[in-house]
Amino acid sequence: MDSSDVSGDLTNVLITEAEIHAKIAELARRIEADYAGQDVLLVGVLKGAVMVMADLARELRLPITMDWMAVSSYGTSTQSSGVVRILKDLDSELEGRTVLIVEDIIDSGLTLSWLLGNLRSRGPASVEVCALLRKPDAVRIELDVKYVGFDIPNDFVIGYGLDYAEKYRNLKDIAVLAPHVYS
Ligand code: XMP
Ligand code: MG
């Protein structure tokens, strides 16, 4: 972990920077094969997906465009409710577009489930999902996620875009947050 100033806040590094980049390259090769000859609109979900988007987009040898959406999920600080509000909508129209949602993490799946319904109602040709992380033990709604980087344990993770109280997004690795930070 290069950000040694916060290393006391972390229990352990779960996925290293090198492992993240190898996985993103692997996902990019699959996406290139599946979308050959198509113009893909990557929809990043702010703010957590910023790093995944930046690295995936540069890795893809495809003509892509990028757009962003920000949503907030009502619920407690650690559990989402599935009731979602749009904080920033897309700039693009989705009619007839080939859409790939780029997400940092799927926890309960409730936010993504809502997002899929919302984007599909706008008439795109297709909507698929690429999520770097997924917590199988937390899933409350089964979703068909075409591209998943890593299935991880049900711990709160930070780094590489993921935050706790807006901190730690700039860490290069993904790490487990030490319980003393949030208790
Ligand atoms: P749901 O439960 O709706 O929530 O799938 C997905 C959103 O919750 C956030 N989330 C996390 N953020 N570390 C984080 O920094 C985590 O371990 C974590 N789990 C869920 C995240 O914003 C995600 O989009
Ligand atoms: Mg998120």
Side-chain angles (χ1 to χ4, degrees):
M1 175 68 56
D2 49 280
S3 306
S4 50
D5 55 327
V6 297
S7 59
D9 296 353
L10 315 175
T11 305
N12 61 285
V13 170
L14 192 64
I15 308 170
T16 65
E17 181 184 9
E19 289 168 335
I20 294 167
H21 289 134
K23 182 64 76 176
I24 285 182
E26 198 183 300
L27 292 170
R29 299 295 87 77
R30 285 179 52 202
I31 293 167
E32 285 163 1
D34 293 348
Y35 289 94
Q38 300 181 63
D39 286 315
V40 182
L41 173 62
L42 301 179
V43 170
V45 184
L46 295 168
K47 305 169 191 168
V50 164
M51 307 298 178
V52 194
M53 177 71 114
D55 286 334
L56 179 67
R58 284 178 294 179
E59 188 65 39
L60 281 173
R61 294 181 291 241
L62 277 181
I64 61 106
T65 48
M66 282 180 249
D67 204 346
W68 301 92
M69 207 163 158
V71 297
S72 89
S73 170
Y74 291 108
T76 66
S77 60
T78 53
Q79 276 226 308
S80 82
S81 61
V83 182
V84 176
R85 187 163 58 106
I86 297 177
L87 302 177
K88 185 228 168 286
D89 206 347
L90 299 172
D91 297 329
S92 343
E93 301 294 330
L94 296 191
E95 189 69 43
R97 301 295 303 272
T98 300
V99 177
L100 181 61
I101 298 174
V102 177
E103 260 286 27
D104 51 355
I105 187 165
I106 302 169
D107 195 286
S108 70
L110 294 171
T111 305
L112 183 60
S113 165
W114 181 91
L115 194 60
L116 278 167
N118 183 282
L119 298 191
R120 284 187 173 135
S121 75
R122 305 185 195 194
S126 65
V127 183
E128 297 291 350
V129 180
C130 176
L132 182 65
L133 306 172
R134 179 174 62 186
K135 294 180 179 174
D137 296 340
V139 166
R140 288 173 58 196
I141 183 159
E142 286 303 330
L143 294 169
D144 184 21
V145 180
K146 196 162 184 185
Y147 309 98
V148 178
F150 301 93
D151 278 322
I152 63 168
N154 198 4
D155 295 318
F156 199 82
V157 293
I158 47 143
Y160 196 69
L162 293 153
D163 73 304
Y164 174 71
E166 295 297 327
K167 287 172 68 183
Y168 314 109
R169 291 194 198 272
N170 60 324
L171 301 186
K172 292 181 178 179
D173 306 309
I174 292 168
V176 177
L177 188 64
H180 74 79
V181 177
Y182 54 85
S183 56

